[in-house]
């Protein structure tokens, strides 16, 4: 395949993604008058940010050719941990939480590279460990059902802009947007980004170039863990509660956003702009169906069907090789 | 079966796993005398059956290098359907589970193949759909009772007073599918698709047929498990039940890689046994539920460490 046709294919693929997004928005706008109301757009972007912050972290791992399904567990654990120790040690709790997340992430990377166990399985183990620990802490502290009230103590991290009449939860969007831009730049403009793509395409060839593949892999898992921790922390002011159940439903959805955007699970391709669109499609489907006043029971079924349609639409024009 | 790893290595891996299994049994029996009592042994089997059936099914999909996230939802949906028909059909209703399960599995395969989308996304979507359908079916009733004695007996009457009948069905199916995977042309082709998709396709094999069949088997066995669950519990509800991750763990901890082409249902049997013994052992010793999950995770990593055949899994991803 020559460079031009591959570039053209890439462009076609990106435009199909965006086209699908537009079709989705138009369809929902016709289906419900409330969909394009400013308050609803704010609500879509808030929910989108919850998903995107995590999905961007996992994108690094997927691009490097591995998988990480422990994100939701780590985010949940860190949230509860910070909620518990915040009243005791103040803002230091945030540093502790992020270190714990980065620690679990790096541990994933170390077990994966040193013990040579497939990353899906390592992180499945970590998911059990962190979820178990999260719930155990919640049960021991008697906060399993109601969570720990944060009482605005972390509001500084989700500042509201006075003139903009939007709820505080919207401020999560600034973080997600900043993270998207930062990661996109790193992936496109730095040696680190280039090497992650290289490792994802072929770890063994990259190794032959004398690049410390193991080091980069551990780093990527550490990064994913740290991002999960930051997400777990930001969900506290977002919900104004440390909830021991909030992240449970996110386990596979974060990965779905990455895959839906067109980043292959085989690694080496894709990128952060893809993840942004994947997460946006999922959030819009979710919101649009609810706003249309769809019966709560039918919601799941329609949601699943639209995810299939979205996946089929965005898979067109890609030469995927083996679709696993 | 592909013997890329060499017979001796394969044996060593199996032995290390059996060692872990026996180690756990010894540990739990010493820790609490109730573990190897009649009640304890029955408890192990009741935990084992659904995990085993789901894991064996998932194994076929993994062997072909795909992934099935929907088995947990199929388990719930088929148990709901079975309970729904139990009052009219009596004992015959037990067949509703496998029949509908196979159809749902086939639908997964069709969405994956005809939609040309990754199986991960396809089954994530159907997972949501099947769960939704289950909720629609039970609407307004919360719980569907199926308490007819003759129906329930299929799962919970006892052989030799320690083996529940559902265990017998599960073992017959497991042995059958181990045979299918290791001794038939069908099994060899499924391994071959996972090991090298392109080569298999170019050798003139209709790969689609085999991939659809792998998904149908996965759905079928999840349906068997769902039907048996309805009979065991005397009914079904549409509440999400956390069985997907334990089943995936059971399928993979004893050496079936998610990159396909190796392992097999015999490994799933070993994996499911380990997890059932672990879960029951922790229950008998009254370990707090969430600490159980934590210990579960650590054992999963240890077991995988012991059993990953690093020569067969040439791609450690």
């Amino acid at each position: 395949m020559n460079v031009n046709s591959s570039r053209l294919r890439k462009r076609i693929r990106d435009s199909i993604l965006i086209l699908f997004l537009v079709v989705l928005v138009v369809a929902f706008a016709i289906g419900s008058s409330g969909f394009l109301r400013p308050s609803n757009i704010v609500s879509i972007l808030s929910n989108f940010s919850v998903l995107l912050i995590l999905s961007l972290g996992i994108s690094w791992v997927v691009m490097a050719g591995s998988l990480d399904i422990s994100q939701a567990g780590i985010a949940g654990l860190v949230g509860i941990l910070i909620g518990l120790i915040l009243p005791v040690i103040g803002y230091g709790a945030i540093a502790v939480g992020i270190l714990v997340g980065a620690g679990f992430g790096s541990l994933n990377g170390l077990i994966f590279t040193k013990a040579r166990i497939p990353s899906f399985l390592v992180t499945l183990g970590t998911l059990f460990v962190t979820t178990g620990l999260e719930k155990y802490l919640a049960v021991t502290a008697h906060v399993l059902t109601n969570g720990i009230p944060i009482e605005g103590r972390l509001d500084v991290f989700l500042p509201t802009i006075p003139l903009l009449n939007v709820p505080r939860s919207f401020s999560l969007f600034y973080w997600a947007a900043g993270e998207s831009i930062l990661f996109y730049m790193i992936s496109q403009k730095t040696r680190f980004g280039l090497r992650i793509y290289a490792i994802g395409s072929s770890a063994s060839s990259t190794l032959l170039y004398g690049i410390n593949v193991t080091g980069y892999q551990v780093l990527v898992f550490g990064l994913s863990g740290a991002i999960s921790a930051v997400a777990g922390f930001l969900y506290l002011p977002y919900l104004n509660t440390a909830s021991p159940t909030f992240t449970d439903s996110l386990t596979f959805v974060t990965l779905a956003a990455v895959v839906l955007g067109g980043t292959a699970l085989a690694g080496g391709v894709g990128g952060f702009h893809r993840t942004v669109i994947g997460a946006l499609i999922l959030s819009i489907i979710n919101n649009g169906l609810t706003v249309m006043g769809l019966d709560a029971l039918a919601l799941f079924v329609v949601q699943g069907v639209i995810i299939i349609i979205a996946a089929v639409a965005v898979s067109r024009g890609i030469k995927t090789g083996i679709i696993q | 079966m592909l013997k890329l790893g060499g017979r001796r290595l394969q044996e060593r891996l199996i032995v290390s796993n059996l060692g872990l299994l026996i180690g756990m049994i010894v540990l739990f029996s010493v820790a609490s005398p109730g573990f190897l009592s009649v009640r304890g042994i029955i408890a192990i089997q009741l935990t084992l059956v659904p995990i085993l059936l789901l894991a064996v099914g998932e194994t076929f999909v993994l062997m072909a290098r795909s992934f099935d996230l929907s088995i947990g939802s199929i388990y719930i949906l088929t148990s709901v359907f079975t309970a729904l028909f139990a009052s009219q059909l009596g004992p015959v209703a037990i067949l509703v589970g496998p029949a509908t399960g196979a159809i749902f599995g086939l639908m997964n395969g069709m969405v994956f193949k005809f939609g040309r989308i990754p199986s991960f996304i396809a089954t994530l979507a159907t997972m949501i759909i099947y769960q939704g359908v289950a909720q629609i079916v039970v609407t307004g009733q919360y719980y569907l009772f199926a308490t007819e004695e003759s129906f329930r007996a299929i799962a919970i009457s006892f052989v030799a007073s320690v083996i529940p009948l559902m265990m017998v069905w599960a073992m017959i199916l497991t042995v059958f599918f181990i045979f299918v995977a290791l001794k038939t042309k069908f099994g060899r082709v499924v391994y071959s698709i996972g090991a090298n998709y392109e080569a298999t396709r170019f050798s003139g094999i209709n790969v689609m047929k085999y991939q659809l069949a792998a998904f149908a088997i996965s759905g079928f066995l999840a349906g068997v498990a769902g039907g048996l669950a309805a009979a065991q519990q005397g009914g079904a509800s549409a509440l999400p039940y956390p069985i997907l991750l334990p089943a995936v763990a059971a399928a993979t901890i004893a050496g079936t890689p998610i990159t396909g082409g190796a392992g097999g249902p015999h490994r799933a049997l070993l994996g499911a046994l380990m997890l059932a013994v672990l879960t029951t052992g922790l229950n008998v010793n009254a370990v707090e539920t969430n600490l159980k999950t934590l210990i579960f995770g650590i054992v999963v990593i240890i077991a995988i460490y012991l059993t990953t055949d690093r020569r067969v899994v040439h791609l450690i991803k």
Side-chain angles (χ1 to χ4, degrees):
Chain A
M1 188 198 310
N2 66 45
V3 177
N4 272 339
S5 90
S6 123
R7 210 170 260 173
L8 182 69
R9 194 167 276 146
K10 231 174 170 177
R11 197 151 298 159
I12 293 175
R13 193 171 158 190
D14 285 353
S15 22
I16 291 177
L17 261 179
I18 292 169
L19 186 69
F20 183 79
L21 199 59
V22 173
V23 170
L24 207 58
V25 170
V26 171
F28 281 131
I30 295 170
S32 147
S33 56
F35 181 74
L36 284 182
R37 205 174 287 159
S39 65
N40 190 52
I41 291 173
V42 164
S43 146
I44 292 176
L45 290 178
S46 312
N47 291 320
F48 159 68
S49 308
V50 168
L51 178 57
L52 184 62
I53 288 184
L54 280 176
S55 294
L56 289 171
I58 207 179
S59 300
W60 282 115
V61 180
V62 176
M63 277 158 49
S66 303
L67 281 174
D68 181 358
I69 57 167
S70 65
Q71 279 199 313
I74 294 178
L77 171 62
V78 168
I80 284 293
L81 191 65
I82 296 179
L84 284 174
I85 59 178
L86 185 68
V88 189
I89 63 171
Y91 285 150
I94 301 162
V96 173
I98 291 172
L99 279 177
V100 168
F104 270 110
S106 311
L107 197 63
N108 279 337
L110 283 172
I111 297 176
F112 162 58
T113 52
K114 298 297 176 195
R116 308 230 312 128
I117 303 175
S119 56
F120 176 83
L121 302 176
V122 180
T123 53
L124 177 67
T126 314
L127 177 67
F128 282 125
V129 170
T130 47
T131 316
L133 209 52
E134 173 197 7
K135 308 278 195 267
Y136 180 69
L137 286 179
V139 168
T140 332
H142 306 291
V143 293
L144 188 63
T145 38
N146 296 326
I148 309 161
I150 298 297
E151 290 157 349
R153 266 181 304 222
L154 293 172
D155 282 356
V156 222
F157 296 94
L158 290 188
T160 49
I161 295 170
L163 289 177
L164 227 56
N165 190 20
V166 292
R168 187 175 300 282
S169 56
F170 178 74
S171 302
L172 197 60
F173 178 68
Y174 310 141
W175 285 85
E179 190 189 0
S180 311
I181 295 166
L182 181 68
F183 282 3
Y184 182 76
M185 296 308 279
I186 292 177
S187 74
Q188 299 293 317
K189 303 283 177 202
T190 69
R191 189 187 285 175
F192 175 80
L194 199 62
R195 287 187 173 172
I196 297 302
Y197 277 112
I199 292 171
S201 314
S202 172
S204 47
S205 331
T206 314
L207 193 64
L208 291 177
Y209 276 100
I211 290 164
N212 179 2
V213 171
T214 309
Y216 278 102
Q217 284 173 327
V218 175
L219 200 60
V220 160
F221 276 97
L223 188 63
S224 176
I227 292 296
S228 311
V230 171
F233 151 63
L234 288 173
Y235 295 159
L236 302 181
Y238 177 81
L239 300 167
N240 209 11
T241 315
S243 157
T245 48
F246 181 66
T247 58
D248 288 357
S249 59
L250 290 171
T251 306
F252 290 110
V253 184
T254 55
L255 204 50
V258 177
V259 180
L260 194 58
T263 299
L265 285 184
V269 295
F272 293 97
H273 57 299
R274 296 267 170 71
T275 303
V276 170
I277 299 176
L280 196 55
I281 291 177
L282 285 178
S283 312
I284 287 181
I285 292 174
N286 229 341
N287 173 282
L289 293 175
T290 319
V291 175
M292 276 173 70
L294 201 68
D295 181 50
L297 288 166
L299 189 84
F300 287 110
V301 179
V302 180
Q303 194 185 4
V305 171
I306 297 187
I307 291 175
I308 293 175
I309 296 171
V312 172
V314 303
S315 308
R316 299 300 92 169
I318 321 174
K319 191 176 185 303
T320 33
I322 312 163
I323 297 180
Q324 39 179 354
Chain B
M1 190 181 121
L2 300 179
K3 293 268 191 224
L4 294 177
R7 185 172 284 270
R8 192 169 295 166
L9 181 69
Q10 295 285 350
E11 278 163 8
R12 211 188 69 214
L13 293 170
I14 299 251
V15 167
S16 67
N17 242 344
L18 277 176
L20 192 64
L21 178 61
I22 294 167
M24 283 195 299
I25 295 176
V26 171
L27 185 74
F28 286 132
S29 339
V30 173
S32 94
F35 181 69
L36 280 185
S37 66
V38 171
R39 283 184 64 185
I41 289 172
I42 292 174
I44 294 176
Q45 298 175 72
L46 294 181
T47 318
L48 176 68
V49 170
I51 293 184
L52 175 64
L53 288 168
L54 265 64
V56 169
E58 180 75 80
T59 300
F60 275 87
V61 178
L62 293 178
M63 275 159 52
R65 211 177 179 185
S66 294
F67 204 91
D68 189 347
L69 280 175
S70 73
I71 47 175
S73 293
I74 294 184
Y75 172 77
I76 291 165
L77 180 53
T78 52
S79 75
V80 163
F81 274 135
T82 308
L84 196 65
F85 286 105
S87 54
Q88 299 148 25
L89 298 177
V92 185
I94 202 76
L95 298 175
V96 171
T100 50
I103 294 170
F104 297 136
L106 196 60
M107 276 163 55
N108 285 338
M110 281 157 54
V111 171
F112 157 61
K113 280 311 275 186
F114 296 129
R116 287 176 50 77
I117 58 180
S119 56
F120 185 88
I121 284 280
T123 55
L124 180 89
T126 54
M127 170 178 97
I128 298 172
I129 295 175
Y130 299 151
Q131 179 69 47
V133 174
Q135 282 173 11
I136 292 173
V137 173
V138 296
T139 313
Q141 285 180 278
Y142 302 108
Y143 197 85
L144 293 170
F145 286 97
T147 47
E148 222 178 319
E149 284 303 320
S150 58
F151 167 67
R152 297 199 60 198
I154 294 169
I156 54 167
S157 52
F158 282 87
V159 179
S161 71
V162 284
I163 304 171
L165 207 48
M166 60 194 280
M167 179 68 185
V168 176
W169 306 132
M171 284 314 294
I172 291 173
L173 285 167
T174 303
V175 170
F176 173 73
F177 280 107
I178 290 176
F179 175 81
V180 169
L182 302 184
K183 298 289 175 197
T184 65
K185 183 196 164 205
F186 175 83
R188 278 200 299 276
V189 173
V190 174
Y191 276 113
S192 154
I193 291 172
N196 193 333
Y197 177 86
E198 290 296 330
T200 314
R201 199 164 66 87
F202 288 134
S203 64
I205 288 168
N206 180 356
V207 286
M208 177 187 283
K209 202 172 73 185
Y210 290 89
Q211 286 179 306
L212 290 182
F215 276 96
I217 290 174
S218 181
F220 169 79
L221 286 173
V224 174
L228 289 174
Q232 185 208 339
Q233 290 154 16
S237 85
L239 290 176
Y241 182 72
I243 195 166
L244 170 67
L245 289 176
V248 171
T252 47
I253 56 172
T256 302
I258 62 160
T259 44
H266 55 307
R267 299 301 187 83
L269 173 61
L270 199 54
L273 268 174
M274 274 196 276
L275 294 188
V277 164
L278 178 66
T279 311
T280 317
L282 295 175
N283 275 337
V284 171
N285 285 291
V287 176
E288 200 272 335
T289 317
N290 301 296
L291 280 184
K292 256 182 343 211
T293 315
L294 193 159
I295 297 171
F296 201 83
I298 295 171
V299 173
V300 164
I301 294 181
I302 294 174
I304 295 168
Y305 175 70
L306 291 175
T307 52
T308 302
D309 183 343
R310 290 168 186 76
R311 284 200 251 172
V312 176
V313 190
H314 37 105
L315 292 166
I316 306 276
K317 287 236 159 187

